[in-house]
Amino acid sequence: VAKLLVTVDPSLLPHQHRIGAVPPLMALVGDSAASDLEYFEALLSLTNLAASGDDVRERIIGPERGLGVLSHAMFSDHEMVRRAATEAMTNLLPHPRMVGHLADPDVMKVWVAFAMDFEDNPECARAAAGCLAMAVGYPEVAQCLVRSNGAKMLKELIQSGNLDLMHRALAVVLSLKEAGGELYDSLENIGLPYFCRAYAEDFGRKLSVGEVSQEEEKLVQITVDMARQVS
């Protein structure tokens, strides 16, 4: 089942097959005797399944106690397993229990730490930052993020030079700016809008004179536009 669902679009499967695939996959993720490859394939399959609908997310979170099992998998010694578990958790959004999970300060500290670990674990950091970008629109998650060293995390991601991470971090910043109040004040206090303005000016100039590679041009333009909105 795990090998099949890594490559097959779950939305093409009948409803009962999608729901029926969840228990054996969750059992495999929770099996201490399984190999890292088996964990990885099962987690990728769950990631794909979770993206296919609310009914599957409910099955993972409810009867299969997915929040606990997947959270445990995020601490695997294997980087690819950690990344796959983080992506599977991300695809549980917008389930209310996943939103509530991220609004727990102890949980949020883990996600912030994962996002900040981009030098040693870039793929896992990208997955964690993507989750935060998706979830920060919920006020309870936004407040928890800001109170969990979120401003420092966002500044580090935006200054990382990694366009994927910058894109995700800027999406969070724009959501916080829209929310306003103390949520955005924390970013102003560390000079983040100033840095965004400097980035937009510098890379806006580089775009205009063709100093950005063709493969990066599109994402640089997106991040420059977002940085301008912040500043």
Side-chain angles (χ1 to χ4, degrees):
V1 174
K3 289 182 180 295
L4 175 66
L5 288 173
V6 167
T7 56
V8 173
D9 182 354
S11 65
L12 300 176
L13 300 175
H15 173 265
Q16 64 270 25
H17 289 178
R18 287 188 286 117
I19 295 296
V22 172
L25 291 171
M26 291 300 301
L28 183 55
V29 174
D31 184 356
S32 60
S35 67
D36 286 330
L37 178 59
E38 289 173 321
Y39 289 140
F40 179 66
E41 290 176 338
L43 288 163
L44 284 185
S45 297
L46 286 165
T47 300
N48 292 337
L49 281 169
S52 69
D54 292 338
D55 53 346
V56 178
R57 288 190 282 268
E58 177 60 36
R59 181 59 190 259
I60 293 172
I61 289 176
E64 303 305 323
R65 302 176 183 175
L67 291 178
V69 174
L70 297 177
S71 293
H72 180 74
M74 286 176 64
F75 291 93
S76 167
D77 292 332
H78 197 288
E79 180 182 358
M80 292 178 67
V81 173
R82 289 198 303 274
R83 174 178 64 84
T86 306
E87 291 175 343
M89 292 284 284
T90 300
N91 280 1
L92 295 179
L93 290 168
H95 194 286
R97 286 180 59 185
M98 181 59 187
V99 173
H101 182 68
L102 291 171
D104 181 320
D106 290 333
V107 171
M108 179 57 74
K109 288 175 184 176
V110 171
W111 285 82
V112 167
F114 270 47
M116 292 176 71
D117 193 28
F118 54 85
E119 291 187 356
D120 293 329
N121 298 290
E123 294 299 322
C124 196
R126 185 171 64 174
C131 180
L132 296 175
M134 291 173 61
V136 75
Y138 297 93
E140 62 269 42
V141 175
Q143 291 172 3
C144 190
L145 172 63
V146 169
R147 294 167 183 169
S148 303
N149 214 20
K152 179 182 178 183
M153 175 206 72
L154 293 169
K155 187 174 183 179
E156 289 192 11
L157 294 187
I158 292 173
Q159 293 178 332
S160 69
N162 182 308
L163 288 170
D164 285 329
L165 291 175
M166 293 173 69
H167 183 209
R168 287 159 172 76
L170 285 166
V172 175
V173 172
L174 287 174
S175 291
L176 295 177
K177 182 178 181 181
E178 183 177 351
E182 66 169 321
L183 298 179
Y184 190 63
D185 288 346
S186 65
L187 305 183
E188 290 189 316
N189 291 340
I190 62 171
L192 195 55
Y194 173 80
F195 177 81
C196 287
R197 181 164 58 253
Y199 170 77
E201 291 174 355
D202 184 26
F203 277 81
R205 180 192 59 79
K206 289 182 178 180
L207 282 169
S208 66
V209 297
E211 292 184 7
V212 177
S213 66
Q214 188 173 4
E215 58 268 21
E216 291 187 336
E217 183 176 352
K218 182 177 180 180
L219 193 49
V220 169
Q221 183 65 68
I222 291 172
T223 55
V224 165
D225 289 344
M226 294 174 79
R228 285 172 176 157
Q229 292 179 60
V230 172
S231 60

